[in-house]
């Protein structure tokens, strides 16, 4: 089994790439979904660790409230990561164990470089989308103000740095048809050239 990380900075179109790969018959997992499950499973610990902040709604963690708290303070972001990251990493390893008969297993993991989990994967596929496009997408999709969107963009390492450290780069500055063609080319390169 070859494990491939799908990486892209916020609002680069990773979900679309995941869906196209799934339609092509590949096993694709999303670390955001895993992270949400971990947040739910560890909600008591997190609420307790952040008890001086209003991060819950109806007794459950509000991801929006928690996000506003941790993106405003680097130390609090680190505090949350120290609680959830070991478990997310653990669950990704379990995915590989369960799917080790597959030729390729993809995991979408936006913060691969920030959390320094490169050693978990054999290959890295980076989705590159211009900053201006991502900023507009974030403001429209998440209803963020420009300041909120920029805070999230700036919380991640620059795209160029990540693209240079990746095995494959797919550009996503156009429409879905163009993206589809790029992914088809990537699949041919992966399968035909026996990229391992």
């Amino acid at each position: 089994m070859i494990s491939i990380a799908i990486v892209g900075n916020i609002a680069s179109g990773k979900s679309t790439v995941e869906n196209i790969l799934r339609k092509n018959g590949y096993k694709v997992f999303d670390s955001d979904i895993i992270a949400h499950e971990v947040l739910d499973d560890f909600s008591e610990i997190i609420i307790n660790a952040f008890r001086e902040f209003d991060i819950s709604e109806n007794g459950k963690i509000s991801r929006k409230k928690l996000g506003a708290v941790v993106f405003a303070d680097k130390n609090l972001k680190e505090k949350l990561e120290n609680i959830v990251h070991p478990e997310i990493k653990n669950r990704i390893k379990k995915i590989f164990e369960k799917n080790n008969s597959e030729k390729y297993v993809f995991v979408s993991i936006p913060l691969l470089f920030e959390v320094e989990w490169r050693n978990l994967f054999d290959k890295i596929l980076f989705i590159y989308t211009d900053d201006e496009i991502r900023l507009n997408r974030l403001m429209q999709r998440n209803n963020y103000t420009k300041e909120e969107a920029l805070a999230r963009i700036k919380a991640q390492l620059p795209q160029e740095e990540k693209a240079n450290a990746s095995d494959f780069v797919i550009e996503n500055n156009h429409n879905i048809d163009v993206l589809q063609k790029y992914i088809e080319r990537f699949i041919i390169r992966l399968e035909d050239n026996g990229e391992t």
Side-chain angles (χ1 to χ4, degrees):
M1 183 208 75
I2 294 165
S3 56
I4 303 172
I6 302 170
V7 184
N9 281 13
I10 194 163
S12 59
K14 290 178 301 297
S15 302
T16 309
V17 172
E18 287 174 50
N19 290 335
I20 295 169
L21 286 167
R22 278 193 197 102
K23 280 177 189 161
N24 279 278
Y26 293 100
K27 287 272 178 131
V28 183
F29 300 87
D30 188 335
S31 68
D32 280 346
I33 292 169
I34 299 165
H36 293 165
E37 288 167 358
V38 171
L39 275 183
D40 289 342
D41 295 346
F42 284 58
S43 63
E44 213 173 295
I45 296 164
I46 296 164
I47 288 168
N48 193 39
F50 288 84
R51 59 187 169 274
E52 64 270 38
F53 300 96
D54 173 25
I55 61 157
S56 59
E57 222 163 72
N58 307 322
K60 281 186 155 192
I61 288 176
S62 158
R63 287 201 291 272
K64 190 169 184 178
K65 286 182 179 180
L66 181 62
V69 168
V70 299
F71 279 105
D73 187 319
K74 199 172 161 231
N75 293 330
L76 293 174
K77 189 169 171 277
E78 215 169 272
K79 185 180 187 177
L80 177 66
E81 287 168 352
N82 288 338
I83 297 168
V84 298
H85 280 180
E87 182 57 21
I88 295 169
K89 194 174 189 178
N90 209 19
R91 292 186 189 192
I92 290 170
K93 285 179 180 173
K94 281 181 182 162
I95 284 169
F96 294 151
E97 284 165 23
K98 279 183 194 165
N99 293 279
N100 68 354
S101 60
E102 296 288 329
K103 192 174 177 186
Y104 300 104
V105 173
F106 291 86
V107 178
S108 174
I109 180 157
L111 299 176
L112 178 85
F113 291 99
E114 285 83 355
V115 296
E116 296 176 359
W117 288 356
R118 275 177 271 194
N119 61 345
L120 272 183
F121 296 89
D122 300 311
K123 296 283 176 188
I124 300 168
L125 165 63
F126 188 76
I127 314 305
Y128 187 100
T129 307
D130 289 347
D131 291 348
E132 199 59 36
I133 294 171
R134 295 191 303 114
L135 178 67
N136 290 329
R137 272 187 199 162
L138 259 185
M139 288 163 69
Q140 286 166 11
R141 184 186 78 187
N142 296 49
N143 219 6
Y144 289 149
T145 63
K146 191 172 185 178
E147 289 67 35
E148 286 171 329
L150 282 170
R152 280 155 176 81
I153 285 171
K154 286 174 182 170
Q156 296 181 317
L157 291 171
Q159 294 193 92
E160 288 72 17
E161 203 177 306
K162 295 180 182 180
N164 290 336
S166 298
D167 300 284
F168 309 98
V169 178
I170 290 177
E171 183 205 278
N172 185 21
N173 290 324
H174 307 286
N175 59 32
I176 193 158
D177 295 332
V178 175
L179 179 62
Q180 181 110 24
K181 283 191 180 79
Y182 287 159
I183 292 171
E184 281 165 13
R185 272 188 223 158
F186 158 72
I187 289 169
I188 289 165
R189 194 176 154 202
L190 193 67
E191 297 281 1
D192 289 2
N193 300 339
E195 284 278 359
T196 56

